[in-house]
Amino acid sequence: MPVLPGAEPYRHDGGDVGVLLCHGFTGSPQSLRPWAEFLAERGLTVSLPLLPGHGTRWQDMQVTSWQDWYAEVDRELRTLLRQCRTVFVCGLSMGGALTLRLAARHGDAIRGVVLVNPANKVHGVMAHALPVVRHLVPSTNGIASDIAKEGVKELGYDRVPLHAAHSLRRFFQVVDGELPQVTQPVLLLHSPQDHVVPAADSARILGRISSTDVREILLEQSYHVATLDHDAERIFEESHAFIGRLAPGAAGTDEGQGADQAGGVGVAGEKGSTTGG
């Protein structure tokens, strides 16, 4: 099947600091394209792959699994590691889970991690019914376009394929068990009003990772697909500052930029935390 217009993967060869961006379940690179272009315009090398089974039709996801999705981002990461001296990994929703597994498995090869509304669990009654229901019903209602900003749409499937959802549930369990192996600096941005992934997922991730350099930011004006929402520019700028702090001299960043954010685990109401607005 041909890739939907706008869902194509994106690649930009820039400087020796690379960034891998991972999109979400049933979504496409379109949801992260503005972020990728923002970083590319500042001289960074950027890779935004299209995950297998995505960006065409939802039926194509039925024959893919989390191993396929993870293998794709792992390949892209290895390419960046060969090309760049420093590499960061970022992800939205399920892309956040992919990012965390890359961080757990690749260790110090990844300099820092940026998570936007990262998912950690399939919630609700459907989660427990998936092992059986997926053999009876092929799909359920889609989860795309949870966006507060009027007139903005996410290019994602209008149906969730249940075989793929079952695989996603198993993937979250795998990643949850690996979270203590994540030690890199982490920037986590999440929306209090998220109709797809509850705040409990971000809280669990922050509570289980072993990173000591952690900053949490609340995106008060956005829903789940915050990278296309009112807080998009803030996500782009905060991630760019995060990269600049950890990779001084990176193209388009000021050396020492964001130094006041270094160190400490930020939680709501404490050191290192910032709320939107």
Side-chain angles (χ1 to χ4, degrees):
M1 288 293 295
V3 173
L4 296 170
E8 303 88 357
Y10 175 84
R11 173 83 188 198
H12 174 79
D13 291 326
D16 59 2
V17 174
V19 183
L20 171 63
L21 298 171
C22 307
H23 71 76
F25 183 70
T26 74
S28 75
Q30 177 260 357
S31 62
L32 301 182
R33 183 67 177 258
W35 191 3
E37 292 177 342
F38 179 95
L39 297 174
E41 288 168 1
R42 283 149 184 82
L44 303 178
T45 292
V46 180
S47 176
L48 171 54
L50 173 65
L51 301 180
H54 293 72
T56 54
R57 56 177 191 160
W58 68 263
Q59 291 89 343
D60 293 332
M61 283 194 70
Q62 292 286 44
V63 294
T64 66
S65 66
W66 73 260
Q67 289 92 342
D68 300 312
W69 314 326
Y70 179 75
E72 181 66 23
V73 295
D74 187 75
R75 281 192 294 269
E76 288 297 317
L77 174 63
R78 293 175 188 273
T79 298
L80 283 176
L81 289 173
R82 290 192 294 269
Q83 180 179 356
C84 302
R85 66 175 173 85
T86 306
V87 174
F88 294 81
V89 183
C90 312
L92 166 69
S93 194
M94 179 190 74
L98 292 168
T99 294
L100 288 164
R101 186 158 207 255
L102 289 171
R105 294 177 69 87
H106 287 271
D108 291 342
I110 294 174
R111 184 68 185 94
V113 169
V114 182
L115 308 169
V116 179
N117 291 323
N120 177 257
K121 184 179 180 180
V122 175
H123 296 268
V125 176
M126 179 60 75
H128 301 288
L130 276 173
V132 174
V133 173
R134 67 193 175 104
H135 296 294
L136 305 174
V137 180
S139 68
T140 188
N141 294 331
I143 56 174
S145 288
D146 185 35
I147 300 171
K149 192 173 184 179
E150 291 186 10
V152 178
K153 297 293 183 181
E154 178 189 15
L155 182 56
Y157 295 147
D158 60 0
R159 305 294 296 176
V160 172
L162 294 187
H163 281 296
H166 176 64
S167 184
L168 176 66
R169 179 174 181 256
R170 297 180 65 182
F171 177 56
F172 287 155
Q173 294 169 343
V174 169
V175 175
D176 190 68
E178 295 177 342
L179 287 178
Q181 300 173 43
V182 176
T183 60
Q184 298 90 340
V186 172
L187 173 63
L188 188 151
L189 309 97
H190 68 97
S191 307
Q193 296 187 74
D194 186 328
H195 306 99
V196 178
V197 175
D201 284 28
S202 288
R204 181 167 178 83
I205 289 167
L206 290 175
R208 286 182 56 77
I209 60 175
S210 299
S211 306
T212 56
D213 181 349
V214 178
R215 187 172 183 228
E216 177 185 11
I217 296 175
L218 299 184
L219 305 172
E220 301 278 9
Q221 302 179 64
S222 300
Y223 295 163
H224 183 63
V225 192
T227 50
L228 296 178
D229 216 326
H230 293 293
D231 292 297
E233 285 295 325
R234 184 168 193 200
I235 293 169
F236 307 163
E237 291 167 0
E238 292 283 1
S239 63
H240 187 238
F242 176 76
I243 292 167
R245 172 167 69 82
L246 295 172
T253 64
D254 295 326
E255 188 163 325
Q257 182 178 22
D260 60 321
Q261 302 167 11
V265 177
V267 295
E270 296 184 11
K271 178 178 66 173
S273 174
T274 305
T275 57

